[in-house]
Amino acid sequence: MDLIKIKQADKNDLEVLALLGRITWKETFASLFRRKEDVANYIDNNFSISIIKSFLKNPNACFWIAYLNEFPVGYAKIEMHVDSNLVKGKNACKLHNFYVLNDFHSMKIGLQLWNKILEKVKEQKCDKMWLSVLHTNDKAIQFYKENNFYRVSDFNFEIGTDSFLMNIMVREFK
Ligand SMILES: CC(C)(COP(=O)(O)OP(=O)(O)OC[C@H]1O[C@@H](n2cnc3c(N)ncnc32)[C@H](O)[C@@H]1OP(=O)(O)O)[C@@H](O)C(=O)NCCC(=O)NCCS
């Protein structure tokens, strides 16, 4: 039987997080770009070892890695105490990253990652969580809706020569 384990990541997981970040982002978004160099620049800038190292040093950030039979297959990152112009809370947090490798989708790995996130949110007494998701990312939007997120706004995110319409979604916690 397949065994899914979720581990809170630390500095020893730096390289695994950088690789998972780079590969999952490319799997999800690369085909939407007109120019390959915009993809290459984005992943080089956002998933370098030094960037992930700085994220891991942020005391308000929390990462998890999902393992399937000990193989790393997904990761998530939240950051505590992050308001946006549109989402104000007493103690709002942001879901920055929530990704499972394509080969392992629909195996409830995302759900187990999400359950770990929920434990942290309760422990930290966050009152709101928000995220941005590409408006055409039906699978992720469906997942978020099933977990009580609702859309509050949209914005355009420009990367290189392309522009992407993003939905901002929020979930409240009592
Ligand atoms: C979004 C993503 C992380 C979901 O992870 P996943 O491992 O594929 O999803 P899961 O298998 O855990 O969850 C989906 C299933 O759980 C169900 N589910 C979701 N929330 C649930 C809940 N609270 N309770 C019970 N079931 C739930 C869904 O209905 C779905 O069931 P189905 O497979 O029978 O249709 C994954 O699809 C992914 O990595 N996508 C690409 C990257 C991406 O777009 N990330 C988000 C960027 S904003």
Side-chain angles (χ1 to χ4, degrees):
M1 201 184 124
D2 287 332
L3 184 64
I4 301 168
K5 276 194 181 165
I6 312 292
K7 175 185 120 163
Q8 189 164 333
D10 61 32
K11 59 181 181 348
N12 298 316
D13 302 305
L14 174 59
E15 293 85 356
V16 171
L17 283 171
L19 266 177
L20 277 174
R22 186 177 174 106
I23 296 167
T24 53
W25 193 90
K26 202 169 174 185
E27 282 186 344
T28 310
F29 300 115
S31 64
L32 307 175
F33 281 77
R34 286 177 292 176
R35 298 188 338 164
K36 277 190 179 151
E37 59 265 43
D38 289 339
V39 175
N41 287 339
Y42 187 89
I43 57 181
D44 285 348
N45 291 334
N46 288 277
F47 302 106
S48 67
I49 292 292
S50 62
I51 283 277
I52 305 294
K53 201 183 268 180
S54 69
F55 290 159
L56 280 163
K57 281 187 185 154
N58 176 353
N60 290 325
C62 206
F63 286 86
W64 293 266
I65 299 175
Y67 295 85
L68 180 71
N69 302 325
E70 302 183 52
F71 188 83
V73 292
Y75 80 108
K77 175 192 171 192
I78 65 167
E79 187 178 2
M80 261 69 76
H81 316 302
V82 186
D83 279 340
S84 83
N85 290 339
L86 293 150
V87 184
K88 303 262 181 234
K90 278 198 229 84
N91 187 10
C93 61
K94 180 175 182 188
L95 180 59
H96 279 280
N97 307 95
F98 185 55
Y99 288 86
V100 174
L101 288 167
N102 276 353
D103 282 353
F104 305 96
H105 282 183
S106 301
M107 296 173 72
K108 310 285 180 197
I109 294 166
L111 197 52
Q112 294 214 26
L113 268 171
W114 175 244
N115 287 335
K116 282 287 172 196
I117 293 171
L118 278 182
E119 283 174 21
K120 182 59 97 182
V121 162
K122 282 189 187 138
E123 178 198 300
Q124 295 287 322
K125 299 189 171 48
C126 297
D127 60 340
K128 280 183 185 170
M129 177 179 281
W130 64 279
L131 57 87
S132 60
V133 56
L134 185 66
H135 78 293
T136 49
N137 189 346
D138 296 334
K139 190 170 167 61
I141 290 172
Q142 178 64 23
F143 186 97
Y144 297 137
K145 282 184 177 165
E146 283 177 38
N147 289 288
N148 302 321
F149 282 85
Y150 58 93
R151 180 175 153 215
V152 287
S153 184
D154 301 331
F155 71 101
N156 277 309
F157 186 39
E158 283 172 17
I159 303 177
T161 56
D162 283 301
S163 178
F164 300 96
L165 183 68
M166 309 295 291
N167 293 163
I168 296 186
M169 300 183 79
V170 178
R171 164 155 180 188
E172 279 148 36
F173 298 98
K174 297 273 179 277

Short mmCIF file of all heavy atoms in Angstrom, two decimals, residues 28 98-100 104-111 132-133 137 139-140 143-144 146-147, ligand 1:
data_model
loop_
_atom_site.label_atom_id
_atom_site.label_comp_id
_atom_site.label_asym_id
_atom_site.label_seq_id
_atom_site.Cartn_x
_atom_site.Cartn_y
_atom_site.Cartn_z
N THR A 28 3.35 23.14 -14.33
CA THR A 28 2.03 23.77 -14.26
C THR A 28 1.88 24.91 -15.27
O THR A 28 0.82 25.08 -15.88
CB THR A 28 1.76 24.32 -12.84
OG1 THR A 28 2.03 23.29 -11.89
CG2 THR A 28 0.33 24.79 -12.67
N PHE A 98 1.47 25.56 -3.31
CA PHE A 98 0.73 24.33 -2.99
C PHE A 98 0.81 23.47 -4.26
O PHE A 98 0.05 23.66 -5.20
CB PHE A 98 -0.71 24.71 -2.64
CG PHE A 98 -1.56 23.56 -2.19
CD1 PHE A 98 -1.18 22.77 -1.12
CD2 PHE A 98 -2.77 23.30 -2.81
CE1 PHE A 98 -1.98 21.72 -0.69
CE2 PHE A 98 -3.59 22.26 -2.39
CZ PHE A 98 -3.18 21.47 -1.32
N TYR A 99 1.77 22.58 -4.31
CA TYR A 99 2.08 21.88 -5.57
C TYR A 99 2.39 20.42 -5.34
O TYR A 99 3.16 20.06 -4.44
CB TYR A 99 3.34 22.51 -6.22
CG TYR A 99 3.11 23.87 -6.80
CD1 TYR A 99 3.23 25.01 -6.02
CD2 TYR A 99 2.80 24.01 -8.15
CE1 TYR A 99 3.02 26.27 -6.56
CE2 TYR A 99 2.60 25.28 -8.70
CZ TYR A 99 2.72 26.40 -7.90
OH TYR A 99 2.51 27.64 -8.44
N VAL A 100 1.85 19.59 -6.22
CA VAL A 100 2.18 18.16 -6.26
C VAL A 100 2.66 17.87 -7.69
O VAL A 100 2.10 18.41 -8.66
CB VAL A 100 0.93 17.31 -5.92
CG1 VAL A 100 1.20 15.83 -6.10
CG2 VAL A 100 0.46 17.59 -4.49
N PHE A 104 1.69 12.51 -9.71
CA PHE A 104 1.12 12.06 -8.44
C PHE A 104 -0.16 12.81 -8.07
O PHE A 104 -0.59 12.77 -6.92
CB PHE A 104 2.17 12.18 -7.33
CG PHE A 104 3.44 11.45 -7.65
CD1 PHE A 104 4.52 12.10 -8.22
CD2 PHE A 104 3.52 10.08 -7.45
CE1 PHE A 104 5.68 11.41 -8.56
CE2 PHE A 104 4.67 9.38 -7.78
CZ PHE A 104 5.76 10.05 -8.33
N HIS A 105 -0.77 13.49 -9.05
CA HIS A 105 -2.03 14.19 -8.78
C HIS A 105 -3.14 13.19 -8.47
O HIS A 105 -3.10 12.04 -8.89
CB HIS A 105 -2.46 15.02 -10.01
CG HIS A 105 -1.70 16.31 -10.14
ND1 HIS A 105 -1.96 17.22 -11.12
CD2 HIS A 105 -0.68 16.82 -9.41
CE1 HIS A 105 -1.14 18.25 -11.00
NE2 HIS A 105 -0.35 18.03 -9.98
N SER A 106 -4.17 13.70 -7.78
CA SER A 106 -5.41 12.96 -7.50
C SER A 106 -5.17 11.70 -6.67
O SER A 106 -5.91 10.72 -6.79
CB SER A 106 -6.15 12.60 -8.80
OG SER A 106 -6.44 13.79 -9.49
N MET A 107 -4.12 11.72 -5.85
CA MET A 107 -3.86 10.59 -4.95
C MET A 107 -4.04 11.02 -3.49
O MET A 107 -3.55 10.38 -2.58
CB MET A 107 -2.43 10.07 -5.17
CG MET A 107 -2.21 9.50 -6.56
SD MET A 107 -0.48 9.09 -6.85
CE MET A 107 -0.31 7.66 -5.82
N LYS A 108 -4.72 12.16 -3.30
CA LYS A 108 -4.99 12.73 -1.97
C LYS A 108 -3.72 13.22 -1.28
O LYS A 108 -3.69 13.36 -0.06
CB LYS A 108 -5.74 11.73 -1.06
CG LYS A 108 -6.96 11.10 -1.70
CD LYS A 108 -8.12 12.07 -1.76
CE LYS A 108 -9.31 11.38 -2.41
NZ LYS A 108 -10.33 12.29 -2.88
N ILE A 109 -2.68 13.47 -2.07
CA ILE A 109 -1.45 14.01 -1.48
C ILE A 109 -1.68 15.49 -1.14
O ILE A 109 -1.33 15.94 -0.05
CB ILE A 109 -0.26 13.80 -2.43
CG1 ILE A 109 0.01 12.31 -2.57
CG2 ILE A 109 0.99 14.54 -1.93
CD1 ILE A 109 0.92 11.92 -3.71
N GLY A 110 -2.33 16.20 -2.06
CA GLY A 110 -2.67 17.60 -1.79
C GLY A 110 -3.52 17.72 -0.53
O GLY A 110 -3.31 18.60 0.31
N LEU A 111 -4.46 16.81 -0.38
CA LEU A 111 -5.35 16.85 0.77
C LEU A 111 -4.57 16.66 2.08
O LEU A 111 -4.81 17.35 3.07
CB LEU A 111 -6.42 15.77 0.63
CG LEU A 111 -7.66 15.87 1.50
CD1 LEU A 111 -8.31 17.24 1.39
CD2 LEU A 111 -8.64 14.76 1.15
N SER A 132 -3.32 33.44 -4.38
CA SER A 132 -3.68 33.80 -5.75
C SER A 132 -3.51 32.58 -6.63
O SER A 132 -2.59 31.78 -6.42
CB SER A 132 -2.85 34.98 -6.26
OG SER A 132 -1.50 34.67 -6.25
N VAL A 133 -4.44 32.44 -7.57
CA VAL A 133 -4.45 31.26 -8.44
C VAL A 133 -4.82 31.71 -9.85
O VAL A 133 -5.68 32.58 -10.02
CB VAL A 133 -5.43 30.19 -7.88
CG1 VAL A 133 -6.84 30.72 -7.69
CG2 VAL A 133 -5.46 28.93 -8.75
N ASN A 137 -6.88 27.77 -13.80
CA ASN A 137 -6.35 26.58 -13.12
C ASN A 137 -7.50 25.86 -12.40
O ASN A 137 -7.66 25.91 -11.18
CB ASN A 137 -5.25 27.01 -12.14
CG ASN A 137 -4.50 25.82 -11.56
OD1 ASN A 137 -4.94 24.68 -11.67
ND2 ASN A 137 -3.37 26.09 -10.92
N LYS A 139 -8.33 22.78 -11.68
CA LYS A 139 -8.13 21.74 -10.66
C LYS A 139 -7.83 22.37 -9.29
O LYS A 139 -8.41 21.98 -8.28
CB LYS A 139 -6.99 20.80 -11.08
CG LYS A 139 -6.87 19.57 -10.20
CD LYS A 139 -5.92 18.55 -10.79
CE LYS A 139 -5.55 17.46 -9.79
NZ LYS A 139 -6.66 16.66 -9.32
N ALA A 140 -6.93 23.38 -9.32
CA ALA A 140 -6.59 24.02 -8.05
C ALA A 140 -7.79 24.82 -7.52
O ALA A 140 -8.09 24.74 -6.32
CB ALA A 140 -5.38 24.93 -8.24
N PHE A 143 -10.17 22.54 -5.92
CA PHE A 143 -9.66 22.10 -4.62
C PHE A 143 -9.90 23.19 -3.56
O PHE A 143 -10.38 22.91 -2.46
CB PHE A 143 -8.16 21.77 -4.72
CG PHE A 143 -7.59 21.17 -3.46
CD1 PHE A 143 -7.45 19.79 -3.33
CD2 PHE A 143 -7.22 21.97 -2.38
CE1 PHE A 143 -6.95 19.23 -2.16
CE2 PHE A 143 -6.73 21.42 -1.21
CZ PHE A 143 -6.59 20.04 -1.10
N TYR A 144 -9.57 24.43 -3.90
CA TYR A 144 -9.72 25.51 -2.93
C TYR A 144 -11.20 25.71 -2.58
O TYR A 144 -11.53 25.93 -1.42
CB TYR A 144 -9.10 26.81 -3.46
CG TYR A 144 -7.61 26.73 -3.69
CD1 TYR A 144 -7.00 27.26 -4.83
CD2 TYR A 144 -6.77 26.11 -2.76
CE1 TYR A 144 -5.64 27.19 -5.03
CE2 TYR A 144 -5.40 26.02 -2.96
CZ TYR A 144 -4.84 26.57 -4.11
OH TYR A 144 -3.48 26.48 -4.31
N GLU A 146 -13.53 23.49 -2.60
CA GLU A 146 -13.96 22.38 -1.73
C GLU A 146 -13.45 22.57 -0.31
O GLU A 146 -13.92 21.93 0.62
CB GLU A 146 -13.44 21.05 -2.27
CG GLU A 146 -14.25 20.56 -3.46
CD GLU A 146 -13.69 19.28 -4.05
OE1 GLU A 146 -13.23 18.41 -3.29
OE2 GLU A 146 -13.68 19.17 -5.28
N ASN A 147 -12.45 23.44 -0.17
CA ASN A 147 -11.91 23.70 1.15
C ASN A 147 -12.24 25.12 1.62
O ASN A 147 -11.48 25.74 2.38
CB ASN A 147 -10.41 23.40 1.18
CG ASN A 147 -10.21 21.89 1.10
OD1 ASN A 147 -10.48 21.18 2.06
ND2 ASN A 147 -9.80 21.40 -0.06
C1 LIG B 1 -3.96 21.51 -6.64
C2 LIG B 1 -3.15 20.26 -6.25
C3 LIG B 1 -2.06 20.64 -5.27
C4 LIG B 1 -4.10 19.26 -5.60
O1 LIG B 1 -3.32 18.15 -5.18
P1 LIG B 1 -3.75 16.63 -5.50
O2 LIG B 1 -2.85 15.76 -4.71
O3 LIG B 1 -3.85 16.42 -6.97
O4 LIG B 1 -5.21 16.64 -4.91
P2 LIG B 1 -5.91 15.54 -4.00
O5 LIG B 1 -5.90 14.23 -4.68
O6 LIG B 1 -5.42 15.58 -2.60
O7 LIG B 1 -7.32 16.22 -3.94
C5 LIG B 1 -8.21 16.12 -4.95
C6 LIG B 1 -9.32 15.18 -4.47
O8 LIG B 1 -9.64 15.39 -3.08
C7 LIG B 1 -10.98 15.83 -2.96
N1 LIG B 1 -11.03 16.81 -1.87
C8 LIG B 1 -10.58 18.08 -1.89
N2 LIG B 1 -10.79 18.65 -0.70
C9 LIG B 1 -11.37 17.70 0.08
C10 LIG B 1 -11.81 17.68 1.43
N3 LIG B 1 -11.69 18.75 2.23
N4 LIG B 1 -12.31 16.54 1.93
C11 LIG B 1 -12.43 15.45 1.15
N5 LIG B 1 -12.04 15.40 -0.15
C12 LIG B 1 -11.52 16.52 -0.67
C13 LIG B 1 -11.33 16.36 -4.30
O9 LIG B 1 -12.71 16.29 -4.54
C14 LIG B 1 -10.58 15.42 -5.21
O10 LIG B 1 -11.24 14.18 -5.28
P3 LIG B 1 -11.17 13.29 -6.63
O11 LIG B 1 -9.70 13.02 -6.90
O12 LIG B 1 -11.93 12.08 -6.24
O13 LIG B 1 -11.80 14.14 -7.69
C15 LIG B 1 -2.54 19.58 -7.49
O14 LIG B 1 -3.54 19.32 -8.41
C16 LIG B 1 -1.45 20.37 -8.15
O15 LIG B 1 -0.30 20.31 -7.73
N6 LIG B 1 -1.77 21.07 -9.25
C17 LIG B 1 -0.76 21.75 -10.03
C18 LIG B 1 -0.11 22.85 -9.25
C19 LIG B 1 -1.09 23.92 -8.89
O16 LIG B 1 -1.87 24.33 -9.71
N7 LIG B 1 -1.00 24.38 -7.64
C20 LIG B 1 -1.81 25.44 -7.17
C21 LIG B 1 -1.23 26.74 -7.58
S1 LIG B 1 -2.21 28.08 -6.97
#
